[in-house]
Amino acid sequence: MHSANHWGGSFEINGDQSGVDDERSRNMEWDRAAMTTQHHHELDETQQSWLLGPQDRYNGNKKKYVDLGCIVCSRKALRWTLWSFVIAFFVIALPIIVAKSLPKHRFHTPLPDNYTLALIKALRFFNAQKSGRLPKDNGVPWRGNSGLSDGNGLTDVKGGLVGGYYDAGDNTKFHFPMAFAMTMLSWSFVEYNHKYEAVGEYDHIRDLIKWGTDYLLLTFNSTATKIDHLYIQVGGSQKGSHVPDDHYCWERPEDMDYSRPVQRTPSAPDLGGEMAAALAAASIVFKDDTAYSKKLVRAATTIWEFARDLARRTAYCKGNAYVEPYYNSTGFWDEYMWGAAWMYYATGNTTYISLATNSALPKHSKAFSMIPTLSVLSWDNKLPAAMLLLTRLRIFLNPGYPYEDMLRSYHNVTGLTMCSYLRPFTFFNWTHGGLIQLNNGGPQPLQYVANAAFLASLFADYMNATGVPGWNCGPSFITTDTLRNFATSQIDYILGANPMKMSYLVGYGTKFPTHVHHRGASIPHNNIKYSCTGGWKWLNSRSPNPNTITGAMVGGPDRFDHFQDVRTNYSYTEPTMAGNAGLVAALVSLTSSGGNGIDKNTIFSAVPPLYPMSPPPPPPWRP
């Protein structure tokens, strides 16, 4: 059976014809070569394709190939590929290389806003108030070392009571408002440390806080676990006194030549509670310095136990003629709430939050009574600040039972306090120029206004951080923008948007007080020492102060928006530690430098998880 050839003929091989076929094949190859070279013109196109293959192998369009070893490609394709790489290099790679190699241009940071400029100046006031041996970089050329013999007769305080801050325009170191000022500065730092860093004041404010807390640690045996007395003041005077002292004399701190008595007390529930708050809040500020932070916490625990002692609950100033007329404490239950809140944040110990939410505190302090004076934050009344600080715990951590009921009540009252600050609700009187009268039209109103502006701005930031657009004041829904506008309007008033067209912050703007009631600023820095009464000529002089106490917020205008730039009238022109601390806190909360909003987590650094931790996942199964 033969294989079929579908093209015609047979595939059968005849062995007898093989030799003939081979000979014929060789002859055909010779003939084909001859035909190709000699008779090419006699063959048609089809015949040439049979003999020579593709026609273009010998014409001008012949394709050329390149053997690359692993692949064979045409030269044209290779050429296009190479040119593509070259073009891509110049279009894409080269610009990237050039951009990377050129020096980076730093974009100029946006110009600081007005609140930043005011903040930087307001912090400088504390440098001018320092007592003790000043650092070389203090930055106030007309100030020098002073008070180096303060407390040098004390046997239980090594090195005496050197350091700290003078309270106002006098040369007295009042520990109650000093501790409050340190708590406020620390609180502002804990909430807005990123803003302080952005404006270049991060290290500065930490130095100011530490200057204060280092001194507070000297006022009692901070290394002990139990104490029986506390030093509450250095210097001062008695009302109507005509003997040389801090009020009768008009001398620079560097020139004081009169005795400076030290006041002590065996009980201080109010001052002790405030000092515990100051040290606890500062321990969060310095949490990156573990040793110092722990030192502050230990001291705060000691002074807290002293403040809470049932046998020592007489007001720190009661019966003391050097203290009571100036910084009289009207109660201590607010300091218990305030101090307990800070102690909890500093330690995470639940006994403190249990105390802070104990129903006895709002009962005795009348926190829920909505008495106007109790809605005003000051060195004496911490209720609105304490309730806001505890509201923060509810907003961000929501600890639930058994704290929720009291925290919700604090939250509700905090909302009502914010409502009371808004003009349409007429809870407080207002001047025609737009200043809220938180102290019933009394003197030195700006310290209370600055504190309220800080609380309002901070509460708005709390709501914004949790996506809450506002809160209810009765039937009215109030937006956070409304609250922020209140805060900015009051700070703007202080900075110059007032009928007097005057900034009440010294050194800010083009018009500000120049006759500040301040001994150091009013006496020339000319190496001449003026006596106790010899300095009176500078008190009574009508000339501007020879030294500018930059950053001092003066007492402020009266209830008619009038202001007298007179040195002898301290109600208008005297600055205070507590007032400036509130202003600093308000300014840093309002500035947009460093972004908006608060640091939500730093304050909770020491707070343990409120709920049981989830168990770890089981190990992988192994056969």
Side-chain angles (χ1 to χ4, degrees), residues 286-333:
F286 296 102
K287 65 184 180 65
D288 57 333
D289 185 347
T290 305
Y292 189 64
S293 182
K294 289 182 177 179
K295 181 179 181 179
L296 292 172
V297 169
R298 286 194 300 269
T301 304
T302 298
I303 194 66
W304 177 255
E305 293 301 322
F306 176 75
R308 288 282 295 158
D309 192 335
L310 284 172
R312 304 177 187 277
R313 293 197 174 176
T314 301
Y316 88 104
C317 58
K318 187 174 182 179
N320 191 318
Y322 283 89
V323 185
E324 197 170 27
Y326 304 100
Y327 285 103
N328 177 48
S329 173
T330 57
F332 56 82
W333 296 101

Side-chain angles (χ1 to χ4, degrees), residues 241-313:
S241 171
H242 294 285
V243 299
D245 58 28
D246 281 332
H247 282 180
Y248 182 75
C249 298
W250 194 265
E251 289 182 300
R252 299 172 66 245
E254 294 78 3
D255 299 334
M256 293 183 296
D257 54 3
Y258 46 82
S259 64
R260 289 168 55 77
V262 176
Q263 309 299 320
R264 61 176 276 177
T265 182
S267 64
D270 30 31
L271 174 55
E274 182 58 64
M275 287 182 62
L279 297 175
S283 75
I284 304 174
V285 172
F286 296 102
K287 65 184 180 65
D288 57 333
D289 185 347
T290 305
Y292 189 64
S293 182
K294 289 182 177 179
K295 181 179 181 179
L296 292 172
V297 169
R298 286 194 300 269
T301 304
T302 298
I303 194 66
W304 177 255
E305 293 301 322
F306 176 75
R308 288 282 295 158
D309 192 335
L310 284 172
R312 304 177 187 277
R313 293 197 174 176

